[in-house]
Amino acid sequence: MIVSLPAARRGRLPLSVSLLALATCFPALAQSEPGTFALDEIVVSATGTPTPAREVASSVTVITAKDIEQQQRRTLPQALAAVPGLNIVQIGGPGGQTSVFMRGTNSNHVKVMIDGIEANDPSTPNRSFDFGSMLTDDIERIEVLRGPQSGLYGANALGGVISITTKRGEGPPKATARVEAGSHGSFNQSAGFSGGDDRFNYAFNVAHMRSDSTDSVPPQLIPPGVKVRPNAYDAYTYSSRLGFALTETLSVNWVGRYTDGQFRSTYDNGFPGRPTPYRSLQNDAQGFTRGEVVWNPSGGRFVNRFGVSYSSQDRSARQPGAFGLLSLPTEDLGERTKLDWRGDLELAKGHGLIMGLQYERERLDTASLTASNGSKAAFLEYQGNIEDRYFIAANIRHDHDDSYGGHTTYRIAPAMIVPGTETKLKASYGTGFKAPTLSELFIDYRPGYNFFGNPNLKPEESRGWDIGFEQPLFDKRLQLGATWFQNDIENLIVTNTTGDSYANVGKAKTKGLEAFAALAVSPQFRVRADYTFTLAKDESALQELLRRPRHKASATASWTPMEKLTLSATLIYVGPWVDGNRDFSVPRLKAKGATLVNLAAEYKATEKVTVFGRIDNLFDKRWESPVGFLVPGFGAFGGIKLAIGG
């Protein structure tokens, strides 16, 4: 589950490798699932320079395109479901609003990057990213970096970072296609065309997902005599990626992504809410693009990257009124423009500096307000390797926001390999912050609600640390490890005591344990188990935070009994948590946990034709996550993949 680049040297890579490894402006630290890497394999670190996996101190999970393909995960929430330290909450099945809670922090404390473009939505009240609308067909790699990361990534990274890299073209021209159908009215298709060499690479993808029959309302909540229609989702995603080497020292890269999705869900009326026969409609149009110039004048000793990125997220919603007729749409538009420079300087073998400058501007456009805000940032990072046994990455960053002023953050992450036992001891300490959103600063809900924005808000802040070990055994066929983590969060933005605005009065503390065991029974059969314990408390109210289960466990297995056949299985257990009911008329109650099992199989009929099938929720668990919303029940799916050329 890593990128292996045995021919590469740090700081000096072939162009074809550099474009992949350095696709994001600030890619997350990455490592394989423990138990799958060797000494000479390479991963992408927080600095963006390829680094041996054994040198990485931070807690990172990497999901590759191969993992996604084997397990047939069609959406980003499905791909992230088994990751330790995360709790995924999706309202109403495919396409429904999806939040990710990382190490017990809030869902808006996770920064999401897509090919170096920040994807958090400026138009939402808390600037969170909705994971529910992202399809996986063009994803090459997902890196989940846990712990405060503002020292490199800036705002919104109190809990961590999820960095997504899309596929890059390479080799002779190749066309691919996939068709899939199955339960819940699903009918999905995708097609791609890609290729490339050391001078020019290209990749074009289109994906369509439709699911028009997902039951999401628990039967006990449906009023007598009312027939509730199922939820439906229909979305198209178009993406492109291009790279061109103009000279030996100058190259340009461009990525673009556009998603147009429509989600229909059961409409609740009144308070407490009662499900009706009608459905509300939400449309989401998301566009992300980034252009980059890479200047490498000294053979890899000092690499410069100049980038500009733009994102637009347009959300509109319509609700049924009299006789089920849909109302006029309410619309929210969030935009972000970013300019950045980064320089990677090799000081000496095993020692490097990363430096950078950024300028960013967010804009919010709603029916009641148009507002914008800008920020500037500078950062510096050192990465060192001492005697191939002692490793360190340390960074510091200063952000200056037009609204709240300056803020400095940092992170240090050392690791050591113990001679003889080859035990890796690792630790990290870092700070994070989340800037007030445009909505929190400026939107006034009046005269109906008499609620006002607060332009004097300060950023939310966090301090977090972790410490752990990884132990290889039996020539790395078995690996064990554990990490203890803790985060202290202050200045949380909440409604003030008078109930008419926001204030920095909240405090929270999260702590817990992440542990794993990975076993390669044979080259054909591998199994891995993860366990996470999380205790997340509101320090002001002295009670547990909502939707943070104390216990989560997962197990994955892959088996290739014959060359053409691959089987995989995933088990996910999520323990009980505290939640509100469907409309929060009951603000706190005990939510049940559940165990879900998914199976997948694919058979390569020929070099160009693959047939596949999967079963989701094998035992048809009618689990509510969150409370009042069912996860999709038993589902069987199958299809065929074709490839031409390559």
Side-chain angles (χ1 to χ4, degrees):
M1 296 191 48
I2 64 172
V3 175
S4 179
L5 309 174
R9 291 192 297 114
R10 291 180 55 182
R12 187 169 185 172
L13 297 172
L15 177 64
S16 60
V17 171
S18 299
L19 294 176
L20 171 62
L22 302 171
T24 61
C25 182
F26 303 112
L29 287 166
Q31 71 179 51
S32 69
E33 286 191 354
T36 65
F37 59 79
L39 292 178
D40 60 344
E41 289 177 322
I42 303 296
V43 298
V44 180
S45 74
T47 65
T49 57
T51 304
R54 67 197 294 269
E55 300 181 17
V56 176
S58 295
S59 297
V60 184
T61 297
V62 175
I63 303 166
T64 66
K66 182 179 179 181
D67 304 319
I68 294 171
E69 183 177 355
Q70 283 187 349
Q71 299 173 19
Q72 301 172 37
R73 303 295 87 190
R74 303 304 179 211
T75 66
L76 188 56
Q78 292 175 345
L80 296 172
V83 174
L86 301 188
N87 187 40
I88 316 295
V89 178
Q90 184 168 39
I91 297 176
Q97 181 180 342
T98 306
S99 302
V100 172
F101 300 86
M102 186 180 294
R103 283 187 169 178
T105 61
N106 289 342
S107 60
N108 60 339
H109 292 161
V110 178
K111 189 161 192 170
V112 180
M113 308 291 290
I114 303 174
D115 288 325
I117 309 163
E118 183 179 348
N120 294 63
D121 188 353
S123 71
T124 61
N126 63 4
R127 201 191 281 110
S128 61
F129 175 71
D130 184 357
F131 292 78
S133 60
M134 188 160 185
L135 308 182
T136 61
D137 294 84
D138 66 336
I139 292 179
E140 177 65 30
R141 181 181 181 89
I142 305 170
E143 302 176 358
V144 181
L145 171 60
R146 298 183 287 279
Q149 306 296 331
S150 292
L152 191 61
Y153 288 88
N156 308 318
L158 282 80
V161 174
I162 296 177
S163 180
I164 300 163
T165 303
T166 60
K167 293 178 180 178
R168 172 187 172 275
E170 58 184 358
K174 178 182 180 180
T176 60
R178 172 182 60 83
V179 178
E180 173 186 276
S183 301
H184 314 304
S186 296
F187 185 49
N188 310 323
Q189 315 89 43
S190 67
F193 180 66
S194 62
D197 52 30
D198 287 342
R199 301 290 296 179
F200 178 62
N201 63 84
Y202 54 91
F204 307 97
N205 291 276
V206 58
H208 171 238
M209 181 177 190
R210 189 189 75 190
S211 178
D212 59 15
S213 184
T214 303
D215 292 326
S216 67
V217 183
Q220 70 272 16
L221 299 184
I222 300 176
V226 173
K227 185 178 181 180
V228 173
R229 301 174 66 186
N231 289 359
Y233 183 57
D234 198 302
Y236 286 88
T237 294
Y238 311 89
S239 62
S240 301
R241 181 168 177 170
L242 303 172
F244 185 58
L246 301 175
T247 68
E248 291 297 318
T249 62
L250 190 66
S251 61
V252 293
N253 307 314
W254 176 81
V255 293
R257 182 183 188 86
Y258 179 76
T259 297
D260 187 6
Q262 184 181 86
F263 181 59
R264 296 181 180 271
S265 60
T266 303
Y267 178 67
D268 293 2
N269 191 27
F271 188 82
R274 295 171 65 85
T276 70
Y278 309 116
R279 295 187 296 186
S280 59
L281 173 64
Q282 179 172 314
N283 289 92
D284 291 291
Q286 300 178 339
F288 303 97
T289 186
R290 175 176 171 83
E292 182 181 71
V293 176
V294 182
W295 182 43
N296 179 10
S298 54
R301 294 297 301 271
F302 187 40
V303 181
N304 296 268
R305 296 172 184 84
F306 305 88
V308 56
S309 59
Y310 171 78
S311 66
S312 172
Q313 303 188 61
D314 190 351
R315 299 177 295 113
S316 64
R318 302 176 67 184
Q319 297 181 346
F323 309 107
L325 297 177
L326 290 174
S327 64
L328 293 175
T330 59
E331 190 164 355
D332 299 281
L333 172 65
E335 296 177 304
R336 179 182 291 108
T337 303
K338 184 176 180 180
L339 305 174
D340 59 78
W341 164 77
R342 195 181 89 180
D344 299 2
L345 176 63
E346 183 181 18
L347 300 173
K349 184 178 180 180
H351 301 270
L353 280 181
I354 308 298
M355 61 203 81
L357 301 171
Q358 295 179 355
Y359 174 77
E360 177 180 296
R361 191 156 199 89
E362 290 185 343
R363 180 176 179 270
L364 168 67
D365 191 349
T366 70
S368 60
L369 175 71
T370 297
S372 65
N373 191 43
S375 64
K376 299 175 286 292
F379 68 91
L380 181 69
E381 176 169 281
Y382 165 75
Q383 186 180 13
N385 176 341
I386 303 172
E387 297 181 351
D388 205 34
R389 287 284 176 183
Y390 307 94
F391 316 102
I392 189 169
N395 55 53
I396 187 168
R397 175 180 173 122
H398 183 76
D399 290 80
H400 189 276
D401 188 276
D402 292 349
S403 295
Y404 62 78
H407 200 86
T408 300
T409 51
Y410 59 90
R411 181 173 177 82
I412 182 169
M416 179 182 73
I417 306 297
V418 179
T421 63
E422 296 301 307
T423 306
K424 180 164 83 170
L425 304 178
K426 60 177 187 173
S428 70
Y429 180 90
T431 59
F433 78 102
K434 177 186 173 294
T437 69
L438 291 171
S439 177
E440 292 165 341
L441 290 169
F442 302 121
I443 284 189
D444 295 337
Y445 296 96
R446 56 181 180 181
Y449 297 96
N450 197 35
F451 191 88
F452 308 92
N454 182 358
N456 298 316
L457 290 172
K458 298 182 294 184
E460 300 177 345
E461 300 177 327
S462 74
R463 301 184 307 277
W465 58 270
D466 58 31
I467 185 168
F469 78 94
E470 295 175 12
Q471 179 63 60
L473 298 169
F474 308 116
D475 196 25
K476 293 196 173 182
R477 294 180 62 184
L478 173 64
Q479 285 214 2
L480 308 170
T483 300
W484 177 266
F485 64 86
Q486 182 168 315
N487 296 294
D488 293 283
I489 307 172
E490 298 180 344
N491 290 333
L492 281 172
I493 298 173
V494 298
T495 303
N496 62 13
T497 55
T498 58
D500 62 357
S501 188
Y502 297 104
N504 294 102
V505 297
K507 291 185 178 181
K509 176 176 288 187
T510 75
K511 57 185 177 181
L513 176 72
E514 297 166 353
F516 73 87
L519 175 64
V521 179
S522 70
Q524 294 77 32
F525 183 55
R526 296 175 179 270
V527 62
R528 175 186 170 97
D530 286 277
Y531 168 73
T532 305
F533 169 77
T534 305
L535 184 60
K537 285 193 173 182
D538 181 332
E539 293 290 281
S540 300
L542 299 179
Q543 56 189 10
E544 286 193 43
L545 296 172
L546 301 181
R547 298 178 179 175
R548 277 77 155 182
R550 289 196 177 192
H551 305 282
K552 177 183 177 180
S554 63
T556 58
S558 63
W559 182 34
T560 307
M562 61 182 69
E563 183 179 356
K564 295 184 177 182
L565 178 64
T566 300
L567 308 174
S568 67
T570 303
L571 180 148
I572 301 171
Y573 167 75
V574 179
W577 64 42
V578 179
D579 201 354
N581 66 345
R582 184 178 171 96
D583 60 5
F584 272 80
S585 57
V586 180
R588 296 183 67 86
L589 52 81
K590 187 71 171 290
K592 296 180 179 179
T595 301
L596 304 179
V597 177
N598 305 318
L599 306 175
E602 66 174 20
Y603 179 76
K604 293 185 177 180
T606 70
E607 286 296 320
K608 304 297 183 182
V609 179
T610 302
V611 294
F612 60 86
R614 77 178 187 277
I615 295 176
D616 289 343
N617 197 351
L618 175 64
F619 300 107
D620 195 29
K621 293 289 185 180
R622 308 309 285 161
W623 180 41
E624 297 179 27
S625 175
V627 171
F629 298 87
L630 292 173
V631 302
F634 175 90
F637 310 84
I640 185 170
K641 293 184 293 185
L642 305 174
I644 301 174

